[in-house]
Amino acid sequence: MRILLTYIILFSTLSIFAQFPKFEIGGLSRALADNSFLDQNDTVNNDVNQDFNLVFDLAVKGELNKFINFYSELRLGNSLEVFDTSSSYLNLRRILIYGNLNKNISFEIGDIDLKMTPFTLWNFQEEGIVNENRLANNFREIQRYENFNNGNFWRRQGLVINGFKPIFKRDSVKYKTFGTREMASNEISTPDVFLYGTEIKYKSNRFSFGLNHIDLFSNYKGINYDTNLNNHVISSNFDLNFKKLKLHSEFGFSRLTNTLNNFDSKWINGEFFNIGFNINFSNNLSFSSSFRSVSEDFSSPGSQSKRINYSMAPFLFPQSNNNTISRDISIADIIYDVDFIRSNSFYNRKIDYGLDTFNPIFGVIDPYGLATPNRRGITSDLTFSDSLKIINVNAHFSFLNDLVGEGINTKRNYMNYSIAFNLFIDKLLSFDNQFLFSGGYSNSTSKREHPEYMNVQNINLNCNIFDLGLEFEVLKNLSILSSYKRLFSNGLDYLPIRNNDFTIESYNAFECDLVHEISSLGIGYDFNKKSSVLINYQILNFTDKLFNNSFSINQFFVLVQIKF
């Protein structure tokens, strides 16, 4: 009711002041029908899961005056399984006030998007991506839209001020400062949690230099403790640009309080540095490489928080094999378990202390992106495309090891390599209609040998992801789509368990021997650039040899999207 009243007041105001210099309305609508069912061997579980949801998002953008602008997104939704209005809902997805204080200073207040650097504030993408075709991309885009994962930005609620100051003809200083409230206090046991940060960057034609600071802190005053918890991260980054060569670097440190006791002023200190280059040999060939070292105590919640909350269970068929086995979140759930009601989503929007749980079946080399603690090594990327744009290839290589041994002095060695390609057969054979074949493969390993006297198995974890996709336009705007995705992981690793002061206190043995497969076939039709329909049938096969567990899920989707 409060949301509806807000919009009535807004539209009334806009109607009265029709002389506003700019007023825009846009949005999108999605209808998604999902019919999923287990195989016939499962006779106890509810074998069929049906969802039919319609959402309509209305975006309103207006200039209130020459200094202040308004933007909001209103969602109207309904589950079409119920033939009345009892399942309808009205949500305010976003509200933002923004504008210019003067020609050099701007501000945003409300639902803001924030990012800084990969070691301070950065939303790393979810696992399992190598080179997916249109079938999977449609659903990934929905997941990211629903959970406000706009690139590497974090969606927060707070205030940001941006400034710009020209110094010389081509030189300038940009700065940004922000503050957000991550959690509200219940005034009994839960404290207020705030996040604030500052970024200053000097940029010229050839080089740029930046300073960054971010702090996540909890204010316990007035509750049970009279102190604050703080997690500071301070860094400096430097970029040097030549015609075809770019050099970049970032180094810094973190300081984390580990106690609520005022008499104990101990801080946990961590540090990192990252240096690399990118060279464009031509318009068709480029190569980049970097070396990074991140200490075992480096703590940066803004860059180490994960998009997926792996401590939760999937919403679709959380149990299998006649309710005997609880299911973990799989690669298929991350893509296709779309939920328009936030309460059921396992996508994470929180930035909090400590390292989030991750799923080792995707690999353990860098579960928290570049900011993963206790890593040192080299990462390289090679990109190539021919002059006719018939094929493009991207190859990635990472060779890392532990900075310090975990549990013993011997360090783990990590390796990851992947290759992805797109082959445009229509350009190769001079077809009029699009004919695209895509593929990709990723391999990630973790290894460490133990002395015989320890009587502990060696670490040897091997994780693989394989992607194939085909898109053929049989008629204008009508395409046949198919894809195959396979994840297979096996081996053993020991995962560290950290306490509240970020210290490793124990280890969990993780062992797996499993296969996840997604076989999809679909038909897509584009009415125009902003309207489309997708019909998709797929089979999800899960096999866990270690626990002698296997099952299948069949899914049928109909997705209609309209943007305006």
Side-chain angles (χ1 to χ4, degrees), residues 348-501:
N348 176 48
R349 300 183 194 172
K350 295 181 179 179
I351 295 177
D352 204 354
Y353 299 99
L355 292 173
D356 295 334
T357 302
F358 69 93
N359 193 340
I361 67 173
F362 298 103
V364 298
I365 182 170
D366 50 6
Y368 306 100
L370 295 179
T372 301
N374 198 24
R375 297 290 188 270
R376 172 179 286 177
I378 296 174
T379 298
S380 300
D381 286 275
L382 178 68
T383 301
F384 167 79
S385 63
D386 67 294
S387 57
L388 298 177
K389 305 297 181 182
I390 295 174
I391 186 170
N392 57 66
V393 180
N394 178 263
H396 171 86
F397 310 90
S398 289
F399 302 95
L400 307 177
N401 55 32
D402 288 337
L403 191 62
V404 298
E406 294 182 352
I408 62 174
N409 292 328
T410 307
K411 303 173 184 178
R412 283 181 297 186
N413 296 311
Y414 309 92
M415 184 182 71
N416 171 251
Y417 66 89
S418 65
I419 185 168
F421 69 89
N422 290 320
L423 176 61
F424 293 89
I425 302 176
D426 54 315
K427 296 180 181 180
L428 180 65
L429 302 179
S430 299
F431 289 170
D432 292 331
N433 297 341
Q434 183 175 341
F435 192 1
L436 172 63
F437 176 61
S438 61
Y441 174 72
S442 173
N443 173 263
S444 175
T445 61
S446 170
K447 295 183 179 181
R448 186 177 71 189
E449 294 185 356
H450 299 143
E452 292 186 4
Y453 69 84
M454 290 185 63
N455 196 27
V456 176
Q457 288 181 273
N458 293 332
I459 291 177
N460 187 8
L461 181 63
N462 193 339
C463 306
N464 306 268
I465 299 174
F466 182 65
D467 261 318
L468 281 178
L470 189 67
E471 181 176 348
F472 178 52
E473 189 179 25
V474 292
L475 297 173
K476 186 178 181 180
N477 298 331
L478 178 65
S479 301
I480 295 178
L481 311 166
S482 66
S483 71
Y484 175 76
K485 192 177 188 75
R486 179 184 176 94
L487 179 146
F488 47 107
S489 301
N490 63 80
L492 172 72
D493 203 341
Y494 296 93
L495 308 180
I497 301 174
R498 296 178 182 263
N499 56 23
N500 292 333
D501 64 5

Side-chain angles (χ1 to χ4, degrees), residues 39 44 55 95 117 139 141 172 180 217 281 286 353 371 393 404 415 443 457 480 496 509 542 551 559:
D39 54 31
V44 174
V55 293
I95 185 167
T117 71
F139 291 92
E141 288 177 4
S172 62
T180 70
F217 70 93
F281 297 103
S286 65
Y353 299 99
V393 180
V404 298
M415 184 182 71
N443 173 263
Q457 288 181 273
I480 295 178
F542 304 84
F551 61 95
L559 172 64

